[in-house]
Amino acid sequence: MGRKVTLATCSLNQWALDFDGNLTRILKSIEVAKSRGAKYRLGPELEIWPIMHHNVRYICRVLFLNRRILLIRPKMVMANCGLHREMRWFSPWNQLRQVEEYFLPRMIQEVTGQDTVPFGDCVLSTKDTCIGSEICQELWSPRSPHIQMSLDGVEIFTNSSASHHELRKADQRVNLIKSATAKCGGIYLYSNQRGCDGDRVYYDGCAMVAINGDVVVQGAQFSLNDVEVITATLDLEDVRSYRGERCHPHMENEPKPCHRVKVDFSLSTGDDIYLPTHQPITWNYHTPEEEISLGPASWLWDYLRRSGQGGFLLPLSGGVDSSSTACIVHSMCVQICQAVQDNNSQVLEDVRRVTGDASYYPQDPRELCGRLFTTCYMSSENSSVDTCTRAKELAHQIGSTHMNINIDMAVKGILGIFSVVTGKWPQFRVNGGSPRENLALQNVQARVRMVLAYLFAQLSLWARGKPGGLLVLGSANVDESLTGYFTKYDCSSADINPIGGISKTDLKSFLLYCVEQFQLTALKGVLSAPPTAELEPLTDGQVSQTDEADMGMTYSELSVIGRLRKMSKCGPFSMFCKLIHMWRDALSPAEVAQKVKHFFRMYSVNRHKMTTVTPAYHAESYSPDDNRFDLRPFLYNTRWTWQFRCIDDQVGRKHRWTVECTVMCQQFN
């Protein structure tokens, strides 16, 4: 009957400037798509082809068939907020429904035999259907091209994306695609980049195919496969029937019909009555805990195998943050072993290169963890037995090579140098020292740990007679970065940080997940202990310092404040105005005012730390990352005089109103 089409879309782990590798992955995806009977194959955004037209750079989709380019469709809506700075490098094509001639470079002319091809806002018209293109951000735009294209009869929409992972974001992407075809009918193919492209983000795949508001095929969100191809066979008559009842294109006042580039080719065949079509499925969403387990772990593997290093080193303190980083590495090892078991030859080749063992075949995640992962507990006279024990037990359960390093000798040596020069020996607060002395003594310990971490990262494998070095992993969470509750250049300063974009609340939930998923029972002790830096002297052998007491607020409160600051664009006064309602059952306006003012003092005093913070996996929409996501000044007026005065005025007005109401009630009684 000639109405069924088989279409393919894919997720590729492309790497900037890796031209040979990128070409290999593209060709493999094409081969897989053809082997499954697909007549159309879609790849992710910028998988290989940025184009300069009239001396202007554009992100483009290039459609070709049998060694001939059919058309070039430039991106019309740029991603230029949050993490994205596309307009720094590229320009949008803002000429709606206009097409020009593009003169091909000589090297392409020699291959295709063409001099020019259509370039602009156009669609492809085959003998049996019409195909239109969207590129990444255009799907998220309030004026998405698929709306006008569908009203002009385009039946198949293709979207090439490079969309990064954020916790709890997948449903937004899926809903947009379902909505795109539910409104106007049609088939929607979505392709996305996958992996770590040498930066702070992880592209999380999720290739999919939808028709008339229903998803029919779902690709993996997280995977170590460099190439994943999914195909779907669908009936074009289903699109036409859907539109015939719901859509009336010619009632719309369209500015101009789509420019159609015609091609003598059919996606369907004449005899397809017995060809089965794909039916709607329910999208399988990962929980946030699963996302933390899989996303950062895949990111770490990409970074490790492409960096040329021999593994990771982590200062493991026995607390929630460093334990979370350790569990993510363990999850990475689990994924590697599973991929090898599933006959992923690329993963096997990579793990043999990283370990330096050409005959190695990983089967046990704990054994692999011992080869790739070194942990060290850096104790001092202020460390407790409990944290040391928790670190040792967790290291044993995940299988890491574990060391216990005492830093007291190094700390006393540094303080001795200071004493010789100044004649002074600083004291902790509990021993009569000033706040400056107390903070300086904590910072010395923290910074010594950073120096030792890098020393052991460089020479641990050498000491074991093995080649290579280790990447140092950081373990500061997003909330601590937000307030600056860490020492600049301490052991949170590392090569990369898999949890730097994740909140403390989510990390605790993740560790609970790991207890069940990986049987890491040592984490129960980690979760039951109060978070502490252990940088001040113990009291009767017990921890006297806790993180939340030092910060003046809980981690759950910090998550709320962080979202208001970044996502709601709140300053001190507007944040106070929102929180007096959000927290009205727990805190008075005066208490809310105290927390808001305390936060903004901490935030502004410590913002400079974000300029040197370790590159971290982007996972949260309120991240304070100063490199590309949260571009702010790092020198603030820390007094916030006008803003704090406005808050105080409102608190005073509330107090006077309360007093007046009380007096009136007493008089009435």
Side-chain angles (χ1 to χ4, degrees):
M1 295 181 66
R3 65 186 186 184
K4 296 177 183 177
V5 294
T6 300
L7 310 167
T9 182
C10 61
S11 294
L12 302 182
N13 195 332
Q14 302 295 73
W15 190 17
L17 304 181
D18 179 22
F19 299 120
D20 290 334
N22 292 342
L23 174 62
T24 298
R25 288 181 283 271
I26 290 171
L27 292 177
K28 182 178 179 181
S29 70
I30 294 173
E31 291 171 0
V32 173
K34 292 184 71 173
S35 70
R36 296 178 183 175
K39 292 290 187 71
Y40 183 96
R41 173 265 183 199
L42 176 69
E45 182 179 15
L46 280 178
E47 58 180 329
I48 198 170
W49 240 312
I51 289 177
M52 183 171 285
H53 177 56
H54 294 170
N55 298 324
V56 179
R57 287 187 297 264
Y58 296 99
I59 296 172
C60 296
R61 287 306 302 167
V62 178
L63 277 69
F64 59 91
L65 172 69
N66 296 334
R67 299 174 69 89
R68 291 183 63 83
I69 295 175
L70 304 176
L71 64 87
I72 300 175
R73 202 294 205 159
K75 190 171 184 178
M76 303 175 70
V77 180
M78 311 304 287
N80 214 51
C81 61
L83 283 165
H84 306 289
R85 299 288 181 275
E86 287 184 356
M87 291 189 71
R88 176 180 293 180
W89 307 108
F90 303 101
S91 295
W93 179 262
N94 50 24
Q95 302 177 57
L96 184 66
R97 304 290 171 89
Q98 293 190 29
V99 178
E100 300 177 355
E101 278 191 322
Y102 175 74
F103 285 83
L104 293 170
R106 184 177 292 110
M107 61 185 296
I108 303 298
Q109 292 179 20
E110 293 173 355
V111 174
T112 68
Q114 300 165 281
D115 295 327
T116 64
V117 295
F119 183 102
D121 181 16
C122 50
V123 298
L124 185 68
S125 184
T126 67
K127 296 172 71 174
D128 52 357
T129 188
C130 190
I131 305 168
S133 297
E134 285 189 326
I135 303 177
C136 198
Q137 183 69 17
E138 294 172 355
L139 172 65
W140 302 75
S141 167
R143 298 185 65 181
S144 296
H146 70 259
I147 298 173
Q148 292 183 344
M149 287 192 292
S150 63
L151 294 173
D152 196 28
V154 175
E155 296 179 327
I156 300 174
F157 310 104
T158 64
N159 188 309
S160 301
S161 279
S163 180
H164 64 271
H165 172 240
E166 275 185 7
L167 293 175
R168 306 172 180 88
K169 175 186 173 183
D171 66 313
Q172 300 176 42
R173 193 186 289 149
V174 174
N175 290 338
L176 281 170
I177 291 171
K178 291 170 66 176
S179 173
T181 57
K183 289 181 293 187
C184 303
I187 297 169
Y188 204 107
L189 273 71
Y190 178 82
S191 173
N192 194 23
Q193 167 82 310
R194 168 178 288 147
C196 167
D197 191 23
D199 213 328
R200 291 162 169 79
V201 296
Y202 176 81
Y203 299 98
D204 58 333
C206 289
M208 69 185 90
V209 181
I211 180 172
N212 298 341
D214 293 314
V215 175
V216 295
V217 185
Q218 171 187 354
Q221 184 173 13
F222 307 104
S223 173
L224 301 189
N225 294 327
D226 285 349
V227 177
E228 179 191 34
V229 179
I230 60 172
T231 57
T233 300
L234 298 169
D235 195 334
L236 292 173
E237 289 298 317
D238 290 337
V239 175
R240 294 158 188 166
S241 298
Y242 187 93
R243 287 182 173 177
E245 175 151 350
R246 295 173 183 254
C247 304
H248 303 281
H250 298 294
M251 292 179 64
E252 299 288 337
N253 186 19
E254 285 297 293
K256 189 178 179 181
C258 296
H259 179 93
R260 280 170 159 77
V261 175
K262 298 178 181 179
V263 58
D264 185 16
F265 184 77
S266 296
L267 296 184
S268 58
T269 60
D271 184 16
D272 59 11
I273 190 170
Y274 292 108
L275 186 65
T277 58
H278 284 71
Q279 300 304 308
I281 63 171
T282 299
W283 189 274
N284 179 30
Y285 291 103
H286 289 290
T287 65
E289 295 77 20
E290 291 172 335
E291 290 184 84
I292 295 171
S293 175
L294 299 171
S298 302
W299 181 75
L300 284 180
W301 174 238
D302 271 356
Y303 200 100
L304 177 61
R305 68 189 179 117
R306 289 171 170 172
S307 69
Q309 298 301 299
F312 299 115
L313 180 136
L314 171 69
L316 183 59
S317 69
V320 168
D321 295 333
S322 61
S323 297
S324 297
T325 297
C327 289
I328 288 171
V329 177
H330 178 70
S331 175
M332 181 195 80
C333 293
V334 171
Q335 290 186 63
I336 291 171
C337 290
Q338 184 61 53
V340 171
Q341 184 178 333
D342 294 339
N343 300 315
N344 188 318
S345 58
Q346 184 62 58
V347 172
L348 181 59
E349 177 186 331
D350 290 335
V351 77
R352 285 174 171 174
R353 188 183 67 255
V354 171
T355 59
D357 186 345
S359 62
Y360 180 51
Y361 193 90
Q363 296 177 297
D364 178 15
R366 290 187 72 254
E367 188 274 335
L368 176 59
C369 203
R371 290 176 178 244
L372 297 181
F373 193 30
T374 298
T375 54
C376 55
Y377 180 80
M378 298 187 180
S379 63
S380 74
E381 58 187 15
N382 302 320
S383 302
S384 66
V385 174
D386 291 341
T387 53
C388 180
T389 302
R390 291 197 297 267
K392 184 178 180 180
E393 288 179 353
L394 179 59
H396 173 71
Q397 290 183 5
I398 65 175
S400 66
T401 300
H402 189 64
M403 299 179 288
N404 196 332
I405 304 168
N406 189 284
I407 68 170
D408 287 334
M409 184 185 302
V411 171
K412 289 176 181 176
I414 292 173
L415 293 176
I417 295 172
F418 178 82
S419 179
V420 168
V421 174
T422 65
K424 301 281 189 179
W425 193 281
Q427 299 293 327
F428 282 105
R429 178 169 43 203
V430 296
N431 297 325
S434 66
R436 279 192 293 175
E437 294 172 74
N438 194 69
L439 183 59
L441 288 172
Q442 295 182 65
N443 289 343
V444 166
Q445 298 171 74
R447 287 172 177 144
V448 162
R449 287 184 169 118
M450 181 202 72
V451 173
L452 288 173
Y454 273 97
L455 175 64
F456 278 87
Q458 285 184 287
L459 296 180
S460 286
L461 295 183
W462 168 79
R464 298 178 215 161
K466 297 181 179 180
L470 302 175
L471 293 165
V472 180
L473 295 182
S475 55
N477 63 63
V478 69
D479 299 320
E480 291 171 349
S481 297
L482 186 62
T483 58
Y485 184 67
F486 61 92
T487 301
K488 198 174 187 179
Y489 306 118
D490 69 349
C491 62
S492 67
S493 297
D495 293 312
I496 50 175
N497 180 1
I499 68 164
I502 306 174
S503 72
K504 191 83 158 191
T505 302
D506 282 338
L507 290 176
K508 288 182 177 180
S509 299
F510 166 62
L511 292 187
L512 281 172
Y513 164 83
C514 290
V515 172
E516 300 299 325
Q517 181 70 15
F518 303 127
Q519 291 77 51
L520 301 177
T521 56
L523 295 173
K524 294 180 180 179
V526 174
L527 286 164
S528 63
T532 174
E534 288 196 337
L535 295 172
E536 295 188 40
L538 304 174
T539 301
D540 298 326
Q542 299 298 315
V543 172
S544 59
Q545 176 192 33
T546 62
D547 293 349
E548 292 185 337
D550 281 355
M551 291 188 297
M553 59 191 73
T554 65
Y555 281 105
S556 59
E557 290 171 342
L558 265 179
S559 291
V560 174
I561 287 173
R563 286 181 170 86
L564 289 176
R565 181 201 70 96
K566 175 63 178 175
M567 299 169 65
S568 300
K569 310 298 188 291
C570 286
F573 182 68
S574 55
M575 185 180 292
F576 166 79
C577 292
K578 290 182 180 293
L579 287 177
I580 56 175
H581 300 289
M582 296 173 66
W583 289 348
R584 64 180 180 272
D585 295 333
L587 299 173
S588 68
E591 291 171 322
V592 171
Q594 186 274 329
K595 286 187 179 290
V596 170
K597 291 192 286 186
H598 178 63
F599 166 76
F600 274 97
R601 287 192 194 99
M602 292 178 64
Y603 165 75
S604 55
V605 166
N606 292 311
R607 181 65 193 186
H608 66 94
K609 295 180 181 179
M610 293 310 301
T611 64
T612 62
V613 74
T614 298
Y617 181 99
H618 177 84
E620 191 55 80
S621 54
Y622 69 95
S623 168
D625 167 40
D626 186 65
N627 175 264
R628 62 183 286 186
F629 182 67
D630 188 45
L631 303 180
R632 309 272 181 123
F634 56 87
L635 178 62
Y636 282 92
N637 182 344
T638 60
R639 295 182 294 276
W640 302 90
T641 50
W642 185 87
Q643 296 91 332
F644 287 1
R645 186 167 64 247
C646 290
I647 293 175
D648 292 338
D649 288 346
Q650 290 299 319
V651 172
R653 184 178 302 175
K654 172 69 173 177
H655 176 72
R656 289 191 298 273
W657 181 81
T658 303
V659 170
E660 290 170 0
C661 288
T662 302
V663 171
M664 291 176 63
C665 289
Q666 290 173 347
Q667 290 174 348
F668 180 78
N669 291 334

